[in-house]
Amino acid sequence: MEKAKHAAVIVAGGSGSRMHSEMPKQYLEIAGKPILYYTLRQFENSFMDAVVLVVSKDWIEYCQTEIIEKYQLQGVSAIVCGGKERYDSVYRGLSAVGDCDYVYIHDGARPFLNAQILERAKACVEEYQACAAGMPVKDTIKIVDEHGFVRETPDRNYVWQIQTPQVFSFPLIKEAYEQLYHRTDPGNITDDAMVVEAMLGHPVKLFEGAYENIKITTPEDLVTAENFLRKLKIMC
């Protein structure tokens, strides 16, 4: 039986607006290296057969010279230009992946992915075909109306905070995105699981990520990331 092929699409086309920085957040440094470097390194050291990096046009050369070549990351098979919206960027990444069985879609600004999460993702997608990393919420969640009044308090046992990677059989996610692109109004798409759910009605299984698997978005996140990295170096 032929071995399944696993590929990753790393989406790193975001801006630094919430970081209040002229430089996009994924290129800011933690301990002297860009955030994106740490993300790519996790996939470099994994079972991944191919990695497609999706970035904005202005940062392609920087990624090639200052991250991939500088740190000798051999696993990145292509760098492609992202689109206007996140789903545009993911679609372009999927189109560049080529032939594979499973694809792992991950945020470039989530540098604390680890081998254990990837192994859980692999086992989950091979069984369920569509899955996403997440963790149970720690706080009570309130659903409010348009005026800010509490409308509902969902049972915390059934509320998860969704992360990436989100992982799918390649034919499934490609078909979902093709259908999305045939719509005049794609709607408010905030993650890839929504595309599969909305376009194909396919259930998405959640698997355990990690509370450390944060997306670095604000200046406060940078402080948290520095602490995580220090802890990881101590533990190594």
Side-chain angles (χ1 to χ4, degrees), residues 29 32-34 37 62-73:
E29 292 188 353
K33 294 184 177 68
Y37 156 76
Y62 172 88
C63 287
Q64 180 64 44
T65 59
E66 297 301 317
I67 298 180
I68 294 170
E69 293 177 7
K70 181 176 181 178
Y71 298 108
Q72 300 180 341
L73 299 175

Side-chain angles (χ1 to χ4, degrees), residues 8 40-49 51 115 118-119:
L40 291 172
R41 186 181 66 176
Q42 296 301 324
F43 286 92
E44 178 88 4
N45 296 333
S46 75
F47 52 81
M48 220 56 58
D49 296 294
V51 176
L118 283 174
E119 288 293 343

Side-chain angles (χ1 to χ4, degrees), residues 21 91 93 139 148 188 196 230:
S21 167
Y91 183 74
D139 299 319
N188 184 27
V196 169
R230 194 175 301 114

Side-chain angles (χ1 to χ4, degrees), residues 16-215:
S17 57
R18 280 183 286 178
M19 189 64 73
H20 309 297
S21 167
E22 293 183 3
M23 177 176 281
K25 58 192 177 238
Q26 57 271 22
Y27 307 120
L28 296 176
E29 292 188 353
I30 305 175
K33 294 184 177 68
I35 290 168
L36 184 57
Y37 156 76
Y38 295 101
T39 304
L40 291 172
R41 186 181 66 176
Q42 296 301 324
F43 286 92
E44 178 88 4
N45 296 333
S46 75
F47 52 81
M48 220 56 58
D49 296 294
V51 176
V52 172
L53 176 60
V54 186
V55 302
S56 62
K57 181 181 178 181
D58 294 339
W59 290 90
I60 290 176
E61 184 177 350
Y62 172 88
C63 287
Q64 180 64 44
T65 59
E66 297 301 317
I67 298 180
I68 294 170
E69 293 177 7
K70 181 176 181 178
Y71 298 108
Q72 300 180 341
L73 299 175
Q74 306 297 321
V76 178
S77 49
I79 305 177
V80 300
C81 180
K84 181 180 178 181
E85 304 291 343
R86 184 186 184 278
Y87 60 81
D88 294 312
S89 295
V90 173
Y91 183 74
R92 293 184 184 190
L94 292 173
S95 300
V97 161
D99 180 43
C100 70
D101 298 290
Y102 302 104
V103 62
Y104 298 62
I105 304 171
H106 189 67
D107 296 319
R110 285 189 193 269
F112 297 112
L113 176 73
N114 58 45
Q116 291 75 29
I117 295 174
L118 283 174
E119 288 293 343
R120 290 195 290 270
K122 182 174 182 287
C124 194
V125 74
E126 288 178 348
E127 182 172 359
Y128 298 102
Q129 307 304 302
C131 58
M135 291 299 289
V137 299
K138 297 179 179 181
D139 299 319
T140 296
I141 302 298
K142 298 287 186 180
I143 307 298
V144 301
D145 63 20
E146 63 271 23
H147 304 294
F149 289 98
V150 174
R151 190 176 67 195
E152 181 184 351
T153 305
D155 186 338
R156 192 168 59 185
N157 292 318
Y158 300 103
V159 181
W160 281 48
Q161 178 179 338
I162 301 305
Q163 305 175 345
T164 65
Q166 298 190 2
V167 194
F168 310 91
S169 75
F170 183 70
L172 183 77
I173 191 66
K174 193 71 188 305
E175 172 62 23
Y177 265 93
E178 293 289 355
Q179 289 198 24
L180 179 70
Y181 265 79
H182 280 94
R183 288 197 169 187
T184 306
D185 180 11
N188 184 27
I189 299 295
T190 57
D191 73 349
D192 307 293
M194 284 183 68
V195 180
V196 169
E197 295 162 8
M199 298 299 108
L200 304 179
H202 195 288
V204 176
K205 174 74 172 178
L206 299 187
F207 64 91
E208 186 177 306
Y211 288 115
E212 293 82 6
N213 184 28
I214 62 170
K215 184 177 181 180

